[in-house]
Amino acid sequence: MTNFFEIYSFIFISLCLVCFFIRRKTSLPSSSRSTENSQFYLFQRNYAAVVLFARACDWIQGPYVYAMYESHGYSKLDIGYIFTAGYSSSAFFGSFVGILADKYGRKRMIMVFGILFISASSTMFSENFRVLMIGRMFHGIATTILYTVFESWMVSEHHFRNFPTHLLSETFSNISFYDAIVAISSGLISSLLVSEFGTISPFLVAIGLMVSLLFVVNFSWNENYGDNSESLRSLLIDSFRIIKNDPNVRLLCIVQTLFESSLLLEIFVWNPTLQEAVGSNNEEMLPLGMIFACFMVAIMIGSSLFVHLLNDRKKSEEQIGTIIFVISLISMTIMALFSHDWRFSTCGLILFEISCGLFWPCFGLLRSKFIPERCRSGVSNLSRIPLNIFVAILLNQVGKSGSTRVFTICSVLLFVGLIIHYTCFDRPTSKVSEQEEVNKKIEDSV
């Protein structure tokens, strides 16, 4: 009988060693942290602590959301409706949340995020279907703020304080790297809490952590805005116009949606895929916690590789984007062809998680490069609307499709993303270089 715990423990240790080697090779020497950048590192640590704390609140309750709905007696179909409400609210309200943040302040919107998160977590105490659905809608809006407005505040504050632009890549990479550590730690903590105090305990702890987070943000963060001189309607129209008229922003939104759609599909099916590959004849259960830890270390490897490629190999963000799509396409092709074999499936999934570790800092840097400051939050949120609509539709379809078909769809999405990204961003005669030349001419004329 195959001992899966030993196998995945070996994979976990091997990945940790690879991550340590890459991280050590790419870490900045202490001499490079000059006195003039000391204020930047204080700023970076403050931002990292807050955003990782916020994500920890989400990670710590994440594994038990489905279990809580089940404990209230709801079927898989009912739970699917609840999750669909969350993605739908994120798609609908996302178009307004970013504009409100640009107009009335990003720090203020982050405070709203905390209130929405606490409200959503509090609804988990109820068994009422409507209350749970409203709570999931609150969580959907909060998630949109977490993954867009926090970043907009950081980029704006970074430029306002006149920190070197190249240091943004280090911030994005560090957030991706340490978020994986936070995810592993939160999973362990939530497991201990549930074993001692029951399924509701992670939600209580998350509420307490979020209250503390709101105090930290309120007293240590400055407020910053987009263009708060314009009306909400003007900002909304301006954000739509930027996506429509700026080819770089529009294409960036498209390739992001293609990659993240594949990511969300992978999240839905990796567990049943491995279970089916192992087969019902095997008596030993898969160590899902250890497998998840392997995925998180793979993300850490990807975020470390990003710094190595950017600083040591002198690759541009656009070139790294092409590498991301190549790696992810190879991984999903492996999954589509060999999903029946748990060995190939494991290799494919780990390879995809490495591409995810590259994706988050790389595309964070591309967003900071192409999206204008005056409506950064609005454009970032509008760009997620197609993603959330797509996922809301897929939630009702994935269960009817086999794993091979799902991974084939992912491969097609990533192949299209690769073609678009390489053609429009990574070619020597790309629109990026043309756009930069146009911007330079405009600046010179001014």
Side-chain angles (χ1 to χ4, degrees), residues 35-75:
T35 305
E36 63 184 17
N37 287 337
S38 60
Q39 289 300 313
F40 164 74
Y41 289 107
L42 287 173
F43 163 75
Q44 187 189 71
R45 282 194 291 269
N46 176 267
Y47 170 72
V50 170
V51 74
L52 293 174
F53 217 76
R55 293 187 184 183
C57 293
D58 202 30
W59 281 119
I60 203 168
Q61 61 173 263
Y64 296 98
V65 172
Y66 194 98
M68 277 299 298
Y69 293 146
E70 274 191 326
S71 70
H72 292 324
Y74 291 106
S75 65

Side-chain angles (χ1 to χ4, degrees), residues 9-58:
S9 296
F10 175 77
I11 293 172
F12 175 76
I13 294 170
S14 301
L15 290 171
C16 285
L17 291 173
V18 172
C19 182
F20 175 77
F21 174 77
I22 297 173
R23 193 71 179 178
R24 186 177 181 182
K25 188 175 181 180
T26 58
S27 293
L28 291 172
S30 57
S31 59
S32 68
R33 301 198 170 214
S34 58
T35 305
E36 63 184 17
N37 287 337
S38 60
Q39 289 300 313
F40 164 74
Y41 289 107
L42 287 173
F43 163 75
Q44 187 189 71
R45 282 194 291 269
N46 176 267
Y47 170 72
V50 170
V51 74
L52 293 174
F53 217 76
R55 293 187 184 183
C57 293
D58 202 30

Side-chain angles (χ1 to χ4, degrees), residues 47 97-98 101 105-107 109-110 144-154 221 224 377 380-381:
Y47 170 72
V97 165
R106 290 150 183 166
K107 173 185 171 181
M109 187 54 64
I110 289 169
T144 298
I145 298 172
L146 175 60
Y147 285 95
T148 56
V149 179
F150 278 78
E151 180 185 300
S152 297
W153 180 91
M154 183 274 291
W221 280 29
N224 66 45
S377 299
S380 297
N381 279 279

Side-chain angles (χ1 to χ4, degrees), residues 120-400:
S121 300
S122 300
T123 61
M124 300 302 289
F125 294 91
S126 173
E127 296 183 0
N128 185 280
F129 185 78
R130 291 182 180 178
V131 172
L132 293 172
M133 187 166 282
I134 291 170
R136 204 65 206 165
M137 291 172 69
F138 284 167
H139 187 272
I141 302 169
T143 301
T144 298
I145 298 172
L146 175 60
Y147 285 95
T148 56
V149 179
F150 278 78
E151 180 185 300
S152 297
W153 180 91
M154 183 274 291
V155 173
S156 177
E157 196 70 13
H158 183 102
H159 292 311
F160 177 76
R161 300 189 187 194
N162 295 317
F163 294 136
T165 303
H166 71 272
L167 291 175
L168 270 173
S169 62
E170 184 181 333
T171 301
F172 282 119
S173 176
N174 284 341
I175 294 301
S176 177
F177 182 87
Y178 290 110
D179 185 39
I181 296 177
V182 168
I184 296 171
S185 304
S186 299
L188 293 173
I189 292 170
S190 62
S191 297
L192 291 173
L193 287 170
V194 169
S195 64
E196 291 292 328
F197 306 106
T199 312
I200 196 64
S201 57
F203 299 90
L204 288 169
V205 171
I207 291 171
L209 291 175
M210 187 57 67
V211 171
S212 303
L213 179 73
L214 291 178
F215 276 103
V216 173
V217 170
N218 187 52
F219 291 108
S220 67
W221 280 29
N222 299 324
E223 184 61 275
N224 66 45
Y225 304 85
D227 188 350
N228 61 349
S229 62
E230 294 188 34
S231 65
L232 289 174
R233 182 173 178 274
S234 297
L235 281 172
L236 182 60
I237 293 172
D238 199 18
S239 297
F240 273 114
R241 189 178 290 124
I242 288 169
I243 295 175
K244 178 183 176 182
N245 297 334
D246 189 324
N248 290 324
V249 175
R250 182 173 64 252
L251 292 167
L252 181 63
C253 294
I254 292 172
V255 294
Q256 277 188 158
T257 298
L258 291 170
F259 186 92
E260 292 190 46
S261 297
S262 301
L263 169 60
L264 291 169
L265 281 172
E266 182 257 357
I267 290 172
F268 292 145
V269 299
W270 75 262
N271 187 333
T273 297
L274 288 178
Q275 298 283 9
E276 290 171 10
V278 167
S280 56
N281 295 329
N282 200 302
E283 297 178 4
E284 185 180 354
M285 291 182 62
L286 284 172
L288 298 179
M290 182 60 70
I291 295 172
F292 177 76
C294 291
F295 292 167
M296 293 300 103
V297 178
I299 289 175
M300 293 162 65
I301 290 173
S303 65
S304 300
L305 278 174
F306 172 74
V307 178
H308 175 68
L309 291 170
L310 194 69
N311 296 338
D312 301 336
R313 298 294 182 180
K314 304 303 179 184
K315 300 287 186 182
S316 67
E317 306 94 286
E318 291 81 11
Q319 291 173 319
I320 296 173
T322 299
I323 294 171
I324 290 168
F325 275 98
V326 169
I327 294 173
S328 58
L329 177 58
I330 292 172
S331 68
M332 284 300 162
T333 303
I334 292 172
M335 295 298 298
L337 295 174
F338 305 105
S339 61
H340 59 279
D341 189 312
W342 66 268
R343 300 169 188 83
F344 280 103
S345 295
T346 300
C347 292
L349 289 167
I350 289 173
L351 197 60
F352 184 75
E353 295 298 334
I354 291 174
S355 72
C356 291
L358 283 161
F359 173 83
W360 297 118
C362 178
F363 277 76
L365 206 56
L366 286 171
R367 286 191 295 271
S368 71
K369 182 176 181 178
F370 292 127
I371 300 177
E373 175 59 34
R374 67 182 184 276
C375 48
R376 185 180 301 279
S377 299
V379 172
S380 297
N381 279 279
L382 287 173
S383 68
R384 294 183 65 85
I385 291 176
L387 172 67
N388 287 308
I389 293 173
F390 189 44
V391 172
I393 295 171
L394 287 173
L395 270 175
N396 296 315
Q397 299 297 322
V398 169
K400 303 173 185 177

